């Protein structure tokens, strides 16, 4: 798939998503399509969102057509984002769905962060909190607009420009931690063992330094070595243009960062071997990064993080191409100073104390929960015993023919028994009321006599 370098900037720098290339040689197209392209993670926390947005935009014919005429600046400054209003409805619908999913993911991240810091979030203002994420518009959380595309591109470009610096800083911290652990390990040994271990470690360092000469990346010596050992070609027939086309693996007309880093494998193998105790693979990746930065600095004239054929050929005309300075590997230059290591160790101690306090707090809470659990267990057993005793008392009373007793031993009468008693009391009263209707009337007394 041939795209304009401007769009390739967005794809290679921001995403590294490559479609299967269309081979210019139709006869070999089948063979090319069998090779899957590797998706390289950019390291950005919104990497997946970025990939999916670009993949959806690629499906729109109008947007793709505009990309063919767009330059790097059109993409980086946001002018291309205005074309979003003209894409198909199904593309906009899918972009809206992607944005809602991303907003939902960010909300979950925020909630997890607040929960971890015990921050009350009963009245959480999601819009305000989302403002800390610069790759989307927090005021519109439902639809993907031109502003979202502009923010996504500009933020990714800015973040990736700082990405290499962050990787260097991460590597420095890794090296300082390794040295800190080495010193702590030696402190725990007696003098004899310490001296023996120090000697062994120094021997490993010396062994690591004993490696063949490393060619400067991007130099004619380095490229010819790849030409001969990787490509299997005669070094005397080296041709820069042919070399470029051989290593433009996706045939897009430029060498991206991943394609460049692949060129340094032979040089790195001179210094690092995963089977050797003295070789650190983290250091190898840092060395690879330094090599790529060196080439980009000398070859990438327009600073778009891509090497075009024209830039590549011009670099072969420079003096540094034929007579480069000797490449200095990592062991010749420490990654940190002693002062930086001391500050790092203070930071570690502070974090360790903080973790100890949290651990003690958790231990106390655990003990409190255990005590509460024991109290609840005692209450549960008392309740079960009371229920059991009441049940047994009822069964005994039923067997003895006695009316059931209440919780305090008082007698309880059934409603049916009460009804029978009421009927017995009511019956004589009814009979007495009905008596005048059945008995003969008594003769009247003191009636006047008639003559």
């Amino acid at each position: 798939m041939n795209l304009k370098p401007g769009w390739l900037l967005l794809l290679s720098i921001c995403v590294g998503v490559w479609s299967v290339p269309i081979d210019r040689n139709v006869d070999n197209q089948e063979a090319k399509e069998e090779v899957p392209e590797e998706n390289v993670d950019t390291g950005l926390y919104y990497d997946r969102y970025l990939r999916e947005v670009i993949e959806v935009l690629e499906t729109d014919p109008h947007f793709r057509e505009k990309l063919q005429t767009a330059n790097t600046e059109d993409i980086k400054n946001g002018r291309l984002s205005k074309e979003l209003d003209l894409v198909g409805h199904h593309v906009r619908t899918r972009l809206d769905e992607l944005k809602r999913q991303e907003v939902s993911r960010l909300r979950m991240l925020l909630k997890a962060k607040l929960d971890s810091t015990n921050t009350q979030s009963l009245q959480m203002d999601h819009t305000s909190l989302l403002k800390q994420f610069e790759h989307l518009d927090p005021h519109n959380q439902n639809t993907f607009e031109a502003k979202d595309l502009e923010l996504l591109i500009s933020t990714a470009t800015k973040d990736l420009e700082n990405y290499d610096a962050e990787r260097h800083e991460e590597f420095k911290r890794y090296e300082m931690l390794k040295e800190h652990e080495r010193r702590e390990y030696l402190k725990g040994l007696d003098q004899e063992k310490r001296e023996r271990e120090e000697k062994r470690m120094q021997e490993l360092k010396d062994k690591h330094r004993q490696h063949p000469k490393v060619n400067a990346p991007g130099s004619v010596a380095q490229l010819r070595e790849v030409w001969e050992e990787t490509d299997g070609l005669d070094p005397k027939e080296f041709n820069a243009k042919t070399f470029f086309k051989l290593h433009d693996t996706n045939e897009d007309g430029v060498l991206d960062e991943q394609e460049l880093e692949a060129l340094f494998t032979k040089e790195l193998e001179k210094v690092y071997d995963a089977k050797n105790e003295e070789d650190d693979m983290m250091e190898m990746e840092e060395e690879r990064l330094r090599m790529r930065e060196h080439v980009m600095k000398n070859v990438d004239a327009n600073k778009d993080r891509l090497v075009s054929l024209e830039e590549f050929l011009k670099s072969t005309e420079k003096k540094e191409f034929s007579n480069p300075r000797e490449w200095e590997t990592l062991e010749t230059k420490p990654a940190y100073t002693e002062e930086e290591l001391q500050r790092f160790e203070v930071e570690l101690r502070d974090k360790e104390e903080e973790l100890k306090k949290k651990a003690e707090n958790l231990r106390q809470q655990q003990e409190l929960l255990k005590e509460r659990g024991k109290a609840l267990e005692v209450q549960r057993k008392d309740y079960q015993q009371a229920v059991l005793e009441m049940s047994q008392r009822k069964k005994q009373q039923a067997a003895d023919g006695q009316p059931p007793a209440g919780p305090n031993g008082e007698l309880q009468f059934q409603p049916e028994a009460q009804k029978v008693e009421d009927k017995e009391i009511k019956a004589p009263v009814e009979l007495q009321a009905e008596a005048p209707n059945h008995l003969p009337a008594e003769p009247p007394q003191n009636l006047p006599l008639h003559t």
Side-chain angles (χ1 to χ4, degrees):
M1 184 178 291
N2 268 340
L3 294 180
K4 194 74 174 175
W7 186 238
L8 289 172
L9 171 70
L10 187 57
L11 287 174
S12 63
I13 300 179
C14 302
V15 191
V17 176
W18 300 105
S19 304
V20 176
I22 299 175
D23 198 327
R24 295 174 182 82
N25 186 349
V26 179
D27 296 334
N28 296 330
Q29 184 170 348
E30 253 182 51
K32 288 285 185 182
E33 289 180 349
E34 291 176 0
V35 181
E37 291 293 331
E38 181 182 0
N39 289 341
V40 181
D41 195 325
T42 61
L44 301 175
Y45 66 89
Y46 49 92
D47 175 83
R48 180 175 177 179
Y49 175 61
L50 186 57
R51 290 172 184 270
E52 291 176 339
V53 167
I54 292 176
E55 287 173 356
V56 170
L57 287 172
E58 281 188 295
T59 64
D60 186 82
H62 171 78
F63 203 84
R64 285 186 61 82
E65 182 182 350
K66 289 297 180 182
L67 288 172
Q68 302 304 316
T69 58
N71 56 38
T72 304
E73 288 305 313
D74 288 336
I75 294 176
K76 293 176 73 173
N77 62 24
R79 281 196 289 270
L80 185 67
S81 304
K82 298 176 182 178
E83 301 297 330
L84 187 67
D85 294 332
L86 302 176
V87 301
H89 175 71
H90 68 287
V91 174
R92 292 300 295 269
T93 302
R94 179 59 182 146
L95 291 173
D96 292 346
E97 182 182 348
L98 289 176
K99 183 176 180 181
R100 287 192 290 269
Q101 290 174 357
E102 178 68 359
V103 169
S104 177
R105 184 184 72 88
L106 295 176
R107 284 176 174 171
M108 290 178 64
L109 288 175
L110 287 169
K111 184 178 184 304
K113 182 179 179 181
L114 293 173
D115 290 345
S116 66
T117 56
N118 296 322
T119 305
Q120 297 296 326
S121 56
L122 297 177
Q123 297 180 343
M124 186 189 302
D125 185 354
H126 285 103
T127 302
S128 298
L129 291 173
L130 286 172
K131 286 181 180 178
Q132 62 187 284
F133 303 110
E134 300 178 348
H135 65 286
L136 49 72
D137 180 9
H139 300 289
N140 174 16
Q141 301 177 17
N142 296 309
T143 59
F144 190 96
E145 305 296 339
K147 184 177 181 181
D148 289 293
L149 182 57
E150 181 180 348
L151 288 170
L152 184 59
I153 294 172
S154 61
T155 304
T157 302
K158 180 187 69 175
D159 289 347
L160 285 163
E161 286 174 352
N162 300 326
Y163 183 56
D164 287 346
E166 291 174 1
R167 282 182 61 184
H168 287 309
E169 185 63 29
E170 182 181 346
F171 173 74
K172 180 193 289 188
R173 293 179 68 83
Y174 166 77
E175 288 289 291
M176 289 191 292
L177 179 60
K178 191 167 69 171
E179 175 62 16
H180 169 74
E181 291 177 345
R182 187 189 73 85
R183 294 183 182 184
E184 290 297 311
Y185 166 68
L186 292 174
K187 283 181 183 178
L189 303 177
D190 58 45
Q191 185 174 355
E192 183 180 351
K193 289 183 178 179
R194 187 184 309 116
E195 290 175 355
R196 190 163 57 245
E197 276 298 290
E198 286 177 342
K199 181 181 178 181
R200 186 185 69 85
M201 291 177 178
Q202 187 59 46
E203 288 174 352
L204 289 175
K205 276 187 176 182
D206 295 340
K207 185 179 177 183
H208 174 70
R209 291 192 179 100
Q210 295 171 4
H211 55 73
K213 177 186 175 183
V214 178
N215 295 312
S219 65
V220 63
Q222 188 258 319
L223 298 184
R224 276 183 177 170
E225 195 170 83
V226 174
W227 174 276
E228 179 181 8
E229 298 187 19
T230 303
D231 303 331
L233 300 174
D234 187 347
K236 296 179 181 178
E237 297 179 1
F238 175 79
N239 181 276
K241 187 173 182 179
T242 304
F243 182 92
F244 182 93
K245 293 193 178 219
L246 280 172
H247 294 278
D248 177 17
T249 55
N250 57 3
E251 300 181 356
D252 53 38
V254 294
L255 296 179
D256 60 66
E257 294 181 344
Q258 286 74 42
E259 290 168 329
L260 279 176
E261 289 184 358
L263 299 178
F264 312 138
T265 302
K266 298 302 296 184
E267 299 302 320
L268 294 169
E269 287 176 350
K270 296 177 182 179
V271 186
Y272 300 96
D273 186 343
K275 297 177 183 178
N276 295 337
E277 182 184 359
E278 68 272 12
D279 298 336
D280 188 332
M281 294 300 103
M282 286 287 289
E283 292 179 359
M284 184 185 76
E285 291 308 315
E286 175 70 7
E287 196 80 73
R288 192 192 302 273
L289 173 59
R290 291 176 65 240
M291 288 180 170
R292 189 248 296 163
E293 288 178 327
H294 174 79
V295 172
M296 282 294 189
K297 181 180 178 180
N298 294 327
V299 181
D300 182 20
N302 63 358
K303 306 303 177 187
D304 63 354
R305 299 173 74 99
L306 299 166
V307 176
S308 66
L309 176 59
E310 181 183 0
E311 290 173 328
F312 184 76
L313 294 177
K314 281 186 177 179
S315 72
T316 63
E317 300 171 2
K318 296 180 180 180
K319 178 182 177 182
E320 293 81 6
F321 181 72
S322 301
N323 299 297
R325 295 173 56 187
E326 184 176 351
W327 181 253
E328 295 181 352
T329 51
L330 281 173
E331 71 268 7
T332 62
K333 188 177 179 181
Y336 54 87
T337 64
E338 186 62 28
E339 290 76 13
E340 288 175 324
L341 178 60
Q342 290 176 4
R343 288 197 296 270
F344 178 75
E345 290 181 327
V346 170
E347 181 184 337
L348 283 180
R349 285 195 292 271
D350 291 343
K351 287 184 178 180
E352 187 177 355
E353 288 299 320
E354 183 180 351
L355 288 174
K356 285 181 179 178
K357 289 179 181 178
K358 288 183 178 180
E360 178 62 21
N361 187 30
L362 288 173
R363 189 193 64 77
Q364 292 177 358
Q365 291 180 7
Q366 187 178 21
E367 290 296 325
L368 181 61
L369 288 173
K370 283 183 180 179
E371 292 299 324
R372 289 179 179 176
K374 290 178 180 178
L376 288 173
E377 181 64 18
V378 171
Q379 291 179 5
R380 185 183 67 82
K381 288 182 178 180
D382 290 345
Y383 175 75
Q384 287 179 340
Q385 184 65 26
V387 170
L388 181 61
E389 291 176 358
M390 184 177 294
S391 175
Q392 291 175 347
R393 191 160 52 243
K394 286 181 179 180
K395 288 180 181 179
Q396 185 64 36
Q397 290 171 349
D400 297 343
Q402 297 179 0
N408 297 320
E410 70 275 12
L411 294 178
Q412 290 184 340
F413 296 93
Q414 297 294 337
E416 289 78 6
Q418 186 67 34
K419 289 180 181 178
V420 171
E421 185 179 346
D422 291 344
K423 285 182 180 179
E424 291 175 352
I425 296 173
K426 186 177 180 182
V429 176
E430 291 177 349
L431 289 174
Q432 186 176 2
E434 292 173 357
N437 295 328
H438 300 287
L439 297 177
E442 293 180 1
Q445 300 177 2
N446 301 326
L447 290 177
L449 295 176
H450 296 278
T451 55

